[in-house]
Amino acid sequence: MELSDEYLFKYKGIYFMSDVVTPDYLDSLEDFDIRDSDVFLVTYPKSGTVWTQNILSLIHYEGHRNGTEETDLLDRMPWLEYNVRNVDWSKRESPRLIASHLPYYLVPKGLRNGKGKVIYVLRNPKDVLVSYYNFSKFSRKLEETDFVLMEQFLDGKVLAGSWLDHVEGWSAHRDDFNILFLTYEELKKDLRSSVLKICNFLGKKLTEKEVDEVVDNATFDKMRKDRRANYKHLSSELVDHTRGGFLRKGVVGDWKNMMTVAQNERFNHVFKKRMEKLPFKFCWDMSLN
Ligand code: A3P
């Protein structure tokens, strides 16, 4: 995750992948036409994006739920800023499901004015860091580093910028948006309740059986084997499939296996004060393997 001019560029304070987005395209997002029915999933990277993308897709597309639809997750819920499939957004049927890692101030104006819906998923930043680190080994677009990545992460010199800035920004501007905040840890603790919470927020009524199907298809074990929900189709130029999969461990508290006491102290030194002011509670120790 070392910053490299070749792969990352900075735009309005945030780092983006240079081969999949341009500053002009990012500029154009300000006027992106938001529909009331749009559903945005916003996350800081490695916080459970693909998991929630899959949940939303399972809630919305029966064909995915009952296994008859062979569409990649990336096509069911494309990325706003990384429009790698060149989606023509204006032609897309409602409700449009859209994923993004953007900070609150770079999302379309319409969204900031309360149109559409946003689901913001956040995760204990120590687990985010560990997941990031492992992802940097899987991705060929991020330079592999050892755990010195931690200093870059603490400094916000990583993809999508500083975790604290991202979370604080969205949290402080929550009243501007029609937004639901969820944590990775609560999804992990009680997936069914989280699915129901999402359905409730979206005004989507599913039968008990349908909810069971969503939950069943969103478990780590099921998703790990689900080609459509993985990045299995990505070429070996982009990722190294021999070095593990995108769905790695899927647990809460893996940071304890990775960070030394000194690293943990250093992390707390930078994060603790600002984190205490956030209106979110994280579960740091849950061990659900
Ligand atoms: P780990 O690297 O800790 O395993 P993102 O999609 O935002 O990049 O987040 C990736 C993280 O979400 C990875 O964490 C991945 O394993 C985890 N994840 C994906 N699907 C999951 C699921 N169904 N249950 C639990 N964790 C999941």
Side-chain angles (χ1 to χ4, degrees), residues 43-51 53 101 123 127 130-132 134-135 184 188 218-221 223 246-251 254:
T43 58
Y44 184 84
K46 312 317 294 173
S47 302
T49 325
V50 167
W51 190 7
Q53 274 177 293
H101 286 322
R123 183 181 191 185
D127 281 341
V130 167
S131 184
Y132 234 142
N134 285 288
F135 184 65
Y184 179 96
K188 203 59 210 178
T219 59
F220 185 80
D221 288 343
M223 276 184 64
F246 183 81
L247 272 84
R248 190 184 61 93
K249 265 197 179 173
V251 297
D254 198 31

Side-chain angles (χ1 to χ4, degrees), residues 7 78 116 179 217 257 275:
Y7 298 133
I179 192 165
N217 284 302
N257 302 319
M275 278 199 75

Side-chain angles (χ1 to χ4, degrees), residues 76 79 92 100 103 132 141 217 231 233 252 261 274 276:
R76 284 192 304 263
W79 285 83
R92 211 153 158 100
S100 177
Y132 234 142
K141 290 288 169 188
N217 284 302
Y231 282 119
H233 58 283
V252 172
V261 172
R274 280 171 74 182
E276 276 167 4

Side-chain angles (χ1 to χ4, degrees), residues 8 35 92 96 193:
L8 297 176
R35 301 177 192 161
R92 211 153 158 100
R96 299 182 299 189
S193 297

Side-chain angles (χ1 to χ4, degrees), residues 131-193:
S131 184
Y132 234 142
Y133 167 68
N134 285 288
F135 184 65
S136 72
K137 293 196 264 181
F138 174 63
S139 166
R140 293 197 198 277
K141 290 288 169 188
L142 300 172
E143 278 180 40
E144 189 181 332
T145 61
D146 60 22
F147 215 52
V148 293
L149 160 72
M150 186 171 108
E151 285 305 320
Q152 285 142 20
F153 183 85
L154 297 181
D155 237 9
K157 291 188 177 147
V158 288
L159 200 66
S162 141
W163 183 93
L164 282 166
D165 288 350
H166 205 277
V167 173
E168 279 175 355
W170 277 97
S171 170
H173 290 84
R174 62 199 306 156
D175 292 342
D176 301 341
F177 296 92
N178 191 0
I179 192 165
L180 172 71
F181 287 91
L182 286 172
T183 63
Y184 179 96
E185 292 74 22
E186 72 180 287
L187 284 164
K188 203 59 210 178
K189 194 166 178 203
D190 189 345
L191 185 53
R192 195 166 209 282
S193 297

